[in-house]
Amino acid sequence: MPAGIVSTIALLAIIALLIADPYRRPSVRIIPGAILFFMMLLAGLIGVSGNNPYNVAKDVWYVGNSATILLFGYFLMERIGSLQPVLRVFAISASVAATVHIFRLALHPSSLQSFLDIRTEVSAGYYITALGLGIAYTAARYKLYLFNSGYALWGTALLCLASVTLSFSRTLWVAVMVVGFTALFVAGLRNVMRWAILLGCMALITAATSDIDVEGSAPEEAITTFRGKIINSLQELKVADYTTFEEVNMNWRGFESYCALQSYLSGSTLERIVGKGFGTDIDIGFTMTLNDEEFDFIPILHNGYLYLLVKTGLIGLASFLSFLFLSICKGIKVLRVPDQEAQACGFLLIVSTLIILETTFVISGMFSKGGLSQTIILMGMLLGHAESILQKESERLGEVADLSRCSTQPTIVT
């Protein structure tokens, strides 16, 4: 059986055991926003008639697996109850992943001569290393003692930073930037303005010194070098009907997004509302060879939002965006609680949600095969912890209000 199916079955079994545990402290039975994932699944199943059963099952797994991972993290956090041991485990895991990545690079020193060789022979990096940087910052900012020594936290941060740097992954760097910008907004408007000015100046200098014409004067460099891919990033995402194979190859994400939009707009009114159903393939208009296999339809997109739009319609897309919005709102609420651990939970919940938000745009994000699993697990755990914190804070404020009312009542002396 595929590893993804095995892991999903294992997660469902663990969730069932956690729910059935007679010694658990029951709180909220279902994760907030679960109804939104149910709506995505329902919308995608409405139009499956006539679609390939195997492709239908794959799409159900892509959407259902992310919900399963969220539930796993949510109920597991209900049992653990404290944030510090969770972050400690994630920090150690990030350090191990970063060490493995760096060690594999050391075993293939020749790959350092080529950006493409690093990605094919070693790895494109691991998202848990970006989370490790965020966790290291959070522990230092909110004084969470994950390790007995501060050097261990610094070591985690340096290992993760080295791994992110050597991954040559744009999406990993964007995830790190998400951590940085969230920290700036939490720190205050004055710091945001200072950093915005500094980054703006750096962007102007970079643009002024760049010698790559994104429109096509150096197409080979835009594909084969990391610097070229960074400069070509916005052009690569531009939704357009590219006419030549060279343009399609350079701007594949934008081209497949164009095909997805054409597929969505060609549907009926009902299909625009609930989508064309799971298992729907997107016609790219010609036959393309990838890994010695020819295909003229694609089952999944880099852009997870358009993936949802085609297969689950406006209902599915609106449901997913609502889930992300509610998660950020919950993070902001917890961030306002006057407790260091609560604020750390709120900060990381916002960060993990924003990472899911940006990665879903470029690498399927929450609907990928498993690259973001650790981020989704952490997000589920943070949602569970946030619910517990807000429930305790509500009870505390209720007790304070009761005491306040009692203290203002007049005493009758007879």
Side-chain angles (χ1 to χ4, degrees):
M1 292 179 65
I5 302 298
V6 175
S7 64
T8 301
I9 293 173
L11 288 179
L12 288 171
I14 296 172
I15 291 169
L17 287 173
L18 289 172
I19 294 175
D21 181 7
Y23 297 102
R24 70 190 285 264
R25 297 188 301 270
S27 55
V28 182
R29 281 284 177 179
I30 195 69
I31 185 172
I35 185 65
L36 297 173
F37 277 89
F38 176 77
M39 290 175 65
M40 280 186 265
L41 287 168
L42 182 62
L45 289 171
I46 289 176
V48 299
S49 178
N51 291 343
N52 186 308
Y54 177 72
N55 291 339
V56 172
K58 282 203 304 185
D59 285 334
V60 170
W61 182 84
Y62 280 128
V63 177
N65 186 57
S66 58
T68 302
I69 296 173
L70 278 171
L71 280 173
F72 168 72
Y74 183 82
F75 286 117
L76 191 61
M77 193 63 190
E78 184 183 72
R79 183 63 182 265
I80 296 172
S82 176
L83 186 63
Q84 290 197 28
V86 170
L87 297 186
R88 185 179 299 117
V89 169
F90 270 86
I92 293 171
S93 301
S95 299
V96 171
T99 302
V100 169
H101 183 215
I102 295 170
F103 185 69
R104 291 180 65 185
L105 273 170
L107 291 177
H108 299 82
S110 60
S111 64
L112 292 173
Q113 300 176 4
S114 169
F115 154 69
L116 293 178
D117 288 345
I118 289 177
R119 298 175 69 88
T120 54
E121 295 183 16
V122 183
S123 171
Y126 308 99
Y127 266 90
I128 197 168
T129 56
L131 282 180
L133 280 171
I135 289 170
Y137 168 80
T138 304
R141 169 69 176 81
Y142 296 103
K143 297 180 175 60
L144 302 179
Y145 299 100
L146 304 186
F147 306 106
N148 293 330
S149 171
Y151 293 110
L153 194 64
W154 274 102
T156 297
L158 290 175
L159 278 172
C160 292
L161 181 60
S163 178
V164 170
T165 303
L166 294 172
S167 69
F168 294 97
S169 169
R170 291 170 294 175
T171 49
L172 272 181
W173 274 113
V174 172
V176 173
M177 290 172 61
V178 165
V179 175
F181 281 115
T182 306
L184 289 175
F185 276 98
V186 170
L189 182 60
R190 183 177 297 180
N191 286 332
V192 172
M193 293 301 296
R194 289 174 181 174
W195 279 95
I197 293 172
L198 176 62
L199 292 173
C201 293
M202 291 175 61
L204 288 174
I205 293 172
T206 302
T209 57
S210 172
D211 59 356
I212 291 183
D213 181 6
V214 179
E215 293 298 328
S217 63
E220 183 178 352
E221 186 175 357
I223 296 175
T224 60
T225 67
F226 184 58
R227 176 172 172 267
K229 288 187 76 68
I230 290 176
I231 297 174
N232 193 55
S233 294
L234 293 179
Q235 173 65 25
E236 183 183 350
L237 295 172
K238 182 180 177 181
V239 179
D241 183 15
Y242 298 99
T243 54
T244 67
F245 284 104
E246 183 182 59
E247 289 178 332
V248 170
N249 190 37
M250 280 183 59
N251 310 295
W252 175 252
R253 284 177 169 86
F255 176 73
E256 68 175 16
S257 295
Y258 170 82
C259 295
L261 281 175
Q262 294 303 308
S263 175
Y264 171 74
L265 294 173
S266 67
S268 63
T269 302
L270 179 62
E271 288 176 334
R272 294 187 184 187
I273 296 174
V274 298
K276 293 189 173 183
F278 290 142
T280 300
D281 289 328
I282 296 166
D283 186 5
I284 60 175
F286 59 90
T287 301
M288 189 171 185
T289 303
L290 183 63
N291 295 330
D292 298 327
E293 183 179 350
E294 293 185 348
F295 63 95
D296 49 7
F297 292 87
I298 49 177
I300 191 168
L301 304 167
H302 285 87
N303 190 326
Y305 300 106
L306 290 178
Y307 166 81
L308 279 179
L309 187 64
V310 171
K311 304 194 179 191
T312 65
L314 291 174
I315 290 179
L317 180 60
S319 298
F320 180 62
L321 292 175
S322 298
F323 172 75
L324 295 179
F325 176 74
L326 292 173
S327 298
I328 291 176
C329 290
K330 193 171 294 295
I332 293 173
K333 284 183 181 179
V334 178
L335 198 59
R336 293 172 179 170
V337 176
D339 176 76
Q340 294 279 57
E341 185 173 303
Q343 292 173 359
C345 175
F347 174 79
L348 284 175
L349 180 54
I350 294 172
V351 166
S352 59
T353 305
L354 290 176
I355 288 176
I356 292 295
L357 182 71
E358 62 95 1
T359 54
T360 302
F361 183 66
V362 290
I363 56 168
S364 300
M366 187 167 274
F367 311 108
S368 61
K369 286 186 177 180
L372 272 294
S373 294
Q374 68 285 334
T375 307
I376 301 172
I377 290 175
L378 181 62
M379 187 178 177
M381 299 183 89
L382 293 170
L383 281 169
H385 198 52
E387 283 292 309
S388 176
I389 290 171
L390 292 176
Q391 185 177 353
K392 291 177 181 177
E393 185 68 9
S394 178
E395 292 172 356
R396 186 186 68 83
L397 293 176
E399 291 175 359
V400 170
D402 290 341
L403 289 173
S404 176
R405 284 195 295 269
C406 289
S407 63
T408 57
Q409 289 179 356
T411 302
I412 300 175
V413 180
T414 59

